[in-house]
Amino acid sequence: MANNQQFKTGEKAPESGKYKVDKLQNGNNAQDNTEINLNEGDQFPPSPSENEAAYWVKSS
C-alpha cells in the first residue's frame, strides 16, 4: 500500500490500523491530530473535531 494514500469520509478502510485526518474535503486545513483505529472494512468517519468530510491517511 502506498504511503500518503488518502481515503475520503465514507470510504472503507483497506486495512486495519491507525488513521488520522490529513485535510478536510472543503479544502480547509484540519486542526485535528486525532488518530483513530479502524479495522479493515470500517468506514472512514467525518473529522472528529470539525465534523466535516475529511481525507484520511494511515498514520501507522
Side-chain angles (χ1 to χ4, degrees):
M1 180 163 139
N3 277 352
N4 301 334
Q5 186 176 1
Q6 290 184 331
F7 307 99
K8 291 194 281 199
T9 295
E11 289 182 347
K12 296 202 184 315
E15 62 185 9
S16 301
K18 284 188 192 283
Y19 294 84
K20 64 180 185 197
V21 173
D22 188 41
K23 62 184 179 191
L24 299 179
Q25 287 185 33
N26 65 15
N28 291 339
N29 281 333
Q31 302 302 313
D32 194 339
N33 295 321
T34 307
E35 287 189 334
I36 60 167
N37 284 305
L38 289 179
N39 293 315
E40 183 178 343
D42 285 352
Q43 238 180 2
F44 287 97
S47 161
S49 67
E50 312 276 341
N51 205 28
E52 297 265 350
Y55 291 105
W56 294 84
V57 290
K58 198 163 193 324
S59 58
S60 63

